[in-house]
Amino acid sequence: MSKKLTLQLLSENFSIHSMAVSTPIPQKVFDAPIFFIAKTFDEVSIVLPSSFEITSDDVEPDWRALEVVGPLGFSLTGILSNISTVLANEKISIFAISTFDTDYILVKENTVEKAVEALNANQYQVILD
């Protein structure tokens, strides 16, 4: 059987921050080499390398990111569903982020090895950064 997709494990350790909608986004976020911001009617979530400390209402540290090597076309279906199913079967929680070109699946640092093994066993190729 051929490999399904290639994922790359990024070397950075990430933290997921939660802030009130009215809280200004700290400039330090925009100085990070990689970051993700999501705003809803109820909250702001910011994901950035743990080396960039910001003040937030809550923080969940120690995440690692698996980048689905892209770009991925919008016509492709089931990418996150299939990957999350593989990881859910191993009882590995995820935090998923999608961009225009690709997807990122964050897993806790203490589950990275198990996640990589499960993905490899299910025909995904995982490149270690």
Side-chain angles (χ1 to χ4, degrees), residues 8 10 28 35 57 69 72 74 91 94 107 114:
Q8 181 167 359
L10 303 185
K28 187 182 273 191
F35 62 87
D57 296 337
V69 176
L72 306 173
F74 282 103
K91 308 286 189 257
I94 68 165
V107 298
K114 187 176 178 183

Side-chain angles (χ1 to χ4, degrees), residues 84-101:
S84 64
T85 297
V86 167
L87 298 176
N89 288 341
E90 298 297 321
K91 308 286 189 257
I92 298 171
S93 296
I94 68 165
F95 186 92
I97 301 170
S98 294
T99 69
F100 191 90
D101 285 336

Side-chain angles (χ1 to χ4, degrees), residues 16-91:
I16 303 170
H17 298 267
S18 178
M19 306 170 93
V21 173
S22 60
T23 304
I25 296 170
Q27 178 59 45
K28 187 182 273 191
V29 171
F30 301 104
D31 296 336
I34 182 172
F35 62 87
F36 305 93
I37 300 172
K39 181 177 181 180
T40 69
F41 296 111
D42 302 316
E43 66 156 329
V44 173
S45 293
I46 300 174
V47 178
L48 73 159
S50 296
S51 58
F52 285 76
E53 295 182 19
I54 61 170
T55 301
S56 56
D57 296 337
D58 200 2
V59 63
E60 181 71 26
D62 300 322
W63 292 86
R64 294 288 301 279
L66 291 156
E67 175 186 357
V68 180
V69 176
L72 306 173
F74 282 103
S75 63
L76 296 175
T77 59
I79 294 170
L80 275 178
S81 174
N82 293 336
I83 293 170
S84 64
T85 297
V86 167
L87 298 176
N89 288 341
E90 298 297 321
K91 308 286 189 257

